[in-house]
Amino acid sequence: MSCGLIDSFGRRITYARLSVTDRCDLRCRYCMAEKMSFLPNNRLLSLEELEALADLLIARGVSKLRLTGGEPLVRRGILDLVDRLGARLGRGLQELTLTTNGTQLAGAARRLAASGVKRVNVSLDSLDPDRFAHITRRGRLDQVLDGIAAAKSAGLRVKINMVALRGLNEDEIEPMLRWCASHDYDLTLIETMPLGEVEEDREAHYLPLDAVKRELEKRFTLVSSFTRSSGPARYFDVSELGVQLGLITPLSNNFCASCNRIRITATGTVYGCLGHDQRVELRDLLRRGGAKAVDAALDELVAGKPQRHNFDIAAAVPAVTRHMSVTGG
């Protein structure tokens, strides 16, 4: 194995979020503009290139891969890639998972499980069909719920990701927590982040999760959990419901000190931080077959990885101009 990826702050990079497409079949208000322009397919890494890049990352000590988008399950051939990456489990790769909006999950769940995927994160911001359609601009709640049920039936562990939005779904947080408990799903709440231009007023919808936690503690006992994941969430066991609650708080409670992640777009651009434009480009290096050059570029990226993001929800312009779907979550 090549030497590991360790940044200038002593953080070891063991987790890569690998985007397979910038396309999505939803247009969530906090994430995208309603009218989006997506990349032509010839600019994306091929499935073979994504596989080769995964091998290079695993050789450098990355033990967890999360496939993201956009919506990863709209990429043609994605389940073939999952099959091939699943063959690396136990051979340097410890975990393979993905984040999905759930619209395509019903048809994919059993094959994901057969490939070695143990759990999936599903974005779900409302259990009300009309409100869900409003937030996503085009989604059908029943389609997503069918996908979640199929994932559970296939033996996949399901975690629901809910972006907490003032004035849009804050009254659904407790019902969502109870619904997750009733179905044995975990729930993670996420603060909205200032990434890319959208038509919505992000500051108006920003809901700090420390305030949400205080409200929940009026009705439930939240005990700090021993659970640790590769991600940024802080976890709590909700004693009365027997469910685990995660909080991802990039604005109200910065989590950068323990960051172990890099993010790779579907075009082979690698970002050291979601909130900065510091990056290296790997597509041409991959296409020339330059494994040593890719290694050198990764070293360059990690050496310059920022200590933390500088998100400011009240800023006149977003922290970075690219949308979340471009970076890959």
Side-chain angles (χ1 to χ4, degrees), residues 36-307:
M36 291 287 293
S37 295
F38 296 113
L39 295 168
N41 288 334
N42 62 7
R43 289 191 56 192
L44 304 184
L45 295 178
S46 69
L47 297 180
E48 292 74 19
E49 288 167 336
L50 289 165
E51 183 181 5
L53 179 54
D55 281 338
L56 291 168
L57 292 167
I58 293 167
R60 296 300 305 273
V62 168
S63 58
K64 175 179 177 179
L65 284 176
R66 178 178 294 279
L67 302 181
T68 68
E71 169 47 48
L73 293 177
V74 302
R75 173 77 187 260
R76 183 174 298 178
I78 182 60
L79 296 179
D80 294 329
L81 176 64
V82 175
D83 283 343
R84 297 201 294 270
L85 293 179
R88 275 76 173 171
L89 289 165
R91 298 164 50 200
L93 185 63
Q94 295 176 10
E95 184 176 7
L96 175 64
T97 186
L98 79 160
T99 294
T100 173
N101 63 26
T103 61
Q104 312 298 314
L105 190 53
R110 291 200 176 279
R111 190 158 168 198
L112 291 172
S115 298
V117 174
K118 300 297 185 186
R119 61 188 182 92
V120 292
N121 289 4
V122 184
S123 300
L124 180 64
D125 300 317
S126 175
L127 290 170
D128 178 87
D130 293 334
R131 188 179 287 183
F132 179 84
H134 174 74
I135 292 173
T136 63
R137 292 195 177 101
R138 60 183 64 184
R140 283 178 32 228
L141 178 62
D142 62 327
Q143 183 182 23
V144 174
L145 294 182
D146 285 348
I148 293 170
K152 181 179 180 180
S153 178
L156 296 171
R157 185 69 189 168
V158 175
K159 184 176 79 171
I160 301 299
N161 285 346
M162 180 184 187
V163 177
L165 300 163
R166 186 183 302 278
L168 285 179
N169 67 359
E170 61 187 308
D171 60 325
E172 286 198 68
I173 291 174
E174 182 178 336
M176 183 72 81
L177 183 63
R178 291 184 181 277
W179 179 79
C180 287
S182 70
H183 290 278
D184 194 28
Y185 307 144
D186 294 325
L187 174 65
T188 291
L189 302 176
I190 306 172
E191 291 176 345
T192 188
M193 287 176 268
L195 296 168
E197 293 288 353
V198 297
E199 292 89 349
E200 302 293 305
D201 182 348
R202 281 199 178 103
E203 185 178 7
H205 294 310
Y206 167 57
L207 183 60
L209 290 185
D210 283 357
V212 171
K213 179 174 177 286
R214 287 193 295 272
E215 284 300 309
L216 289 175
E217 285 177 324
K218 294 178 181 178
R219 290 175 293 284
F220 305 107
T221 306
L222 272 58
V223 180
S224 292
S225 173
F226 290 110
T227 296
R228 295 292 180 269
S229 73
S230 299
R234 295 176 292 148
Y235 291 101
F236 300 88
D237 295 319
V238 184
S239 302
E240 292 81 357
L241 298 178
V243 68
Q244 189 170 86
L245 174 67
L247 302 178
I248 296 181
T249 54
L251 294 165
S252 65
N253 194 332
N254 184 276
F255 48 66
C256 296
S258 60
C259 182
N260 62 343
R261 297 172 294 289
I262 55 175
R263 291 172 168 84
I264 306 165
T265 74
T267 61
T269 303
V270 191
Y271 290 93
C273 176
L274 185 63
H276 288 271
D277 276 322
Q278 180 253 359
R279 62 189 185 271
V280 297
E281 305 289 347
L282 297 185
R283 185 179 59 193
D284 290 345
L285 299 177
L286 277 169
R287 291 181 176 175
R288 292 198 298 267
K292 289 185 178 179
V294 171
D295 270 345
L298 289 171
D299 286 335
E300 176 188 342
L301 176 89
V302 171
K305 181 176 167 66
Q307 184 176 21

